[in-house]
């Protein structure tokens, strides 16, 4: 009986250790988009380090496990192939492993064009916004 208890204790300890090692390599990034009626039909791509992370529809959120370290996040209207002078500067962040970050996509309508940007928001703000949103499915295709 003593051997059985020791085996369970050792297995549990190894499991907890492996879970803590895994969680230390990544940070959790929540993407939130609630741009209102004027931007509801416009799709927004979230670009991380020059690569597509997610195509986010209005009134949606998505959650991503991202490698810890320095990253640049930038938003782009779907259909735009490259960033222009009118594009917002990227949001540079140093993600810490095991932490959670909240990013909001903002759409700003100008006289002759629309501009999108990424802004880091607090957990308090995200908690107020997210209950009204649905989880983004097929993040890279829709």
């Amino acid at each position: 009986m003593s051997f059985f208890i020791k085996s369970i204790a050792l297995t549990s300890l190894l499991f907890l250790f492996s879970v803590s090692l895994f969680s230390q390599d990544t940070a959790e990034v929540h993407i939130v988009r609630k741009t209102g009626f004027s931007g509801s039909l416009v799709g927004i791509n979230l670009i991380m380090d020059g690569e597509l992370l997610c195509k986010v529809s209005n009134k949606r959120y998505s959650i991503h496990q991202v490698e810890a370290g320095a990253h640049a996040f930038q938003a782009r209207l779907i259909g735009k192939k490259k960033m222009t002078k009118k594009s917002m500067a990227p949001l540079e962040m140093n993600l810490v492993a095991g932490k959670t970050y909240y990013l909001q996509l903002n759409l700003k309508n100008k006289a002759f064009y629309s501009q999108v940007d990424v802004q880091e928001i607090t957990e308090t703000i995200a908690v107020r916004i997210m209950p009204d949103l649905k989880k983004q499915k097929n993040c890279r295709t829709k």
Side-chain angles (χ1 to χ4, degrees):
M1 186 68 153
S2 161
F3 175 74
F4 181 70
I5 294 173
K6 287 180 183 177
S7 296
I8 291 176
L10 182 61
T11 304
S12 299
L13 189 62
L14 288 173
F15 175 75
L16 291 174
F17 181 71
S18 65
V19 168
S20 68
L21 282 179
F22 174 74
S23 66
Q24 291 181 0
D25 294 339
T26 62
E28 190 169 89
V29 177
H30 294 238
I31 312 300
V32 178
R33 178 177 174 205
K34 187 176 180 181
T35 50
F37 179 75
S38 65
S40 62
L41 298 177
V42 178
I44 298 176
N45 289 333
L46 180 66
I47 311 297
M48 182 182 81
D49 301 330
E51 298 292 324
L52 176 66
L53 180 64
C54 188
K55 295 179 179 183
V56 186
S57 301
N58 193 29
K59 297 184 180 177
R60 298 282 192 267
Y61 73 92
S62 63
I63 301 171
H64 305 271
Q65 295 298 319
V66 175
E67 187 176 317
H71 295 285
F73 295 92
Q74 200 162 22
R76 177 174 27 196
L77 296 174
I78 290 180
K80 296 282 186 183
K81 298 296 180 196
K82 61 182 180 177
M83 304 313 252
T84 64
K85 288 181 184 177
K86 296 175 185 168
S87 298
M88 301 296 284
L91 174 63
E92 307 267 342
M93 297 181 71
N94 190 17
L95 305 181
V96 176
K99 287 199 168 190
T100 302
Y101 298 87
Y102 299 89
L103 304 179
Q104 184 172 19
L105 303 178
N106 300 307
L107 180 66
K108 299 173 184 175
N109 292 313
K110 303 291 183 176
F112 299 106
Y113 62 93
S114 293
Q115 195 173 35
V116 292
D117 73 337
V118 184
Q119 175 184 13
E120 184 177 12
I121 58 175
T122 65
E123 182 178 10
T124 305
I125 293 171
V127 167
R128 279 191 264 149
I129 295 171
M130 289 178 74
D132 297 336
L133 308 179
K134 294 180 183 176
K135 187 167 185 176
Q136 179 77 38
K137 296 180 182 175
N138 302 322
C139 197
R140 294 186 179 238
T141 60
K142 287 194 175 190

